[in-house]
Amino acid sequence: MENHATLFLGSCMTPFPFTLSPNMENSHLMNILSDKDEPNGVLLGSNQEICFPIAQVKEVSQNKKFIQIDQNEVKKSGKKNGQNRKPRFAFQTRSRVDILDDGYRWRKYGQKVVKNNKFPRSYYRCTYEECNVKKQVQRQSKDEGVVVTTYEGLHTHPVQKLSDNFEEILNQMQTYLPN
DNA sequence: CGGTTTTGACCTGCGC
DNA sequence: GCGCAGGTCAAAACCG
């Protein structure tokens, strides 16, 4: 466990479409990526959380601890005259389970095998009425301990449930131990 | 029984 | 136009 510093993300998480519960703060949340207007990303806090524009997660560098974004994908995502472009946020966690409890209720509507990845990508939609927030969850084939979660859109409602079983969450957030 | 998951089919965009 | 890849749909299965 001592091999990975945990980043505790506080108020800087406000723009993100999910609630960072105290339980999630104990996960090994490494990187946050967003679709803000900043072209080169912004530093979210005093730690090393880095905020990048995101369209397509291309590669994760384990040493440098950030997700590399293909800028061409960013341009592509801004099509349709720059409109109809939902904010997208991605972050990666080291977890043995794919589904992180972010306080919202999700319904899985699809699963797809993606190229160059032996793990399928799962597609979820928020179950709240008229809330169109989606998320994609995918485990990396390069590093099986890394789960990349991409949120699309913003919740228009409060958190639907609270994560109150701390032990259970901790069990979910199994610490990744590199060789 | 109602909500969720599974999974094959279908749709769409893109590159060649 | 065709094939590929990613995203979504929807019916059936599953589960509490």
Side-chain angles (χ1 to χ4, degrees):
Chain A
M1 179 174 281
E2 62 276 9
N3 290 322
H4 285 278
T6 301
L7 298 182
F8 294 98
L9 304 173
S11 58
C12 62
M13 293 295 295
T14 303
F16 292 91
F18 54 87
T19 298
L20 188 68
S21 69
N23 293 338
M24 279 189 71
E25 287 181 327
N26 285 279
S27 71
H28 287 74
L29 197 57
M30 293 171 58
N31 305 287
I32 303 295
L33 302 106
S34 84
D35 197 19
K36 303 282 286 184
D37 293 330
E38 290 81 2
N40 298 315
V42 296
L43 198 61
L44 291 177
S46 58
N47 286 323
Q48 294 182 5
E49 308 96 295
I50 301 173
C51 186
F52 290 100
I54 178 172
Q56 182 80 25
V57 175
K58 294 293 288 186
E59 184 181 357
V60 171
S61 168
Q62 183 171 351
N63 295 329
K64 297 181 181 177
K65 289 185 177 182
F66 63 81
I67 298 180
Q68 296 179 351
I69 303 300
D70 186 339
Q71 290 300 319
N72 292 328
E73 296 292 340
V74 173
K75 292 174 184 173
K76 271 191 270 182
S77 70
K79 57 191 175 185
K80 293 182 181 178
N81 300 325
Q83 297 177 346
N84 196 22
R85 185 185 175 195
K86 294 180 181 178
R88 295 180 69 188
F89 306 83
F91 66 93
Q92 57 170 328
T93 59
R94 290 197 179 278
S95 174
R96 192 173 294 177
V97 296
D98 295 339
I99 308 303
L100 304 179
D101 190 349
D102 55 10
Y104 293 96
R105 295 186 61 216
W106 301 92
R107 189 160 81 93
K108 190 174 185 176
Y109 67 89
Q111 179 172 295
K112 195 77 177 179
V113 174
V114 296
K115 198 178 178 183
N116 299 324
N117 199 321
K118 65 182 179 182
F119 297 106
R121 175 182 298 165
S122 296
Y123 299 90
Y124 298 88
R125 245 197 288 265
C126 182
T127 60
Y128 192 84
E129 193 175 8
E130 294 183 1
C131 180
N132 274 337
V133 176
K134 300 173 188 173
K135 74 172 179 179
Q136 302 175 6
V137 178
Q138 181 165 26
R139 185 173 294 277
Q140 291 197 332
S141 57
K142 274 186 185 177
D143 186 348
E144 300 185 8
V146 173
V147 176
V148 178
T149 305
T150 303
Y151 287 85
E152 182 175 328
L154 294 170
H155 292 287
T156 59
H157 57 94
V159 176
Q160 291 169 271
K161 63 176 180 178
L162 294 175
S163 305
D164 51 7
N165 193 338
F166 187 40
E167 289 294 326
E168 182 177 336
I169 300 300
L170 277 183
N171 287 333
Q172 292 179 5
M173 303 295 182
Q174 292 294 330
T175 304
Y176 175 82
L177 296 175
N179 300 326

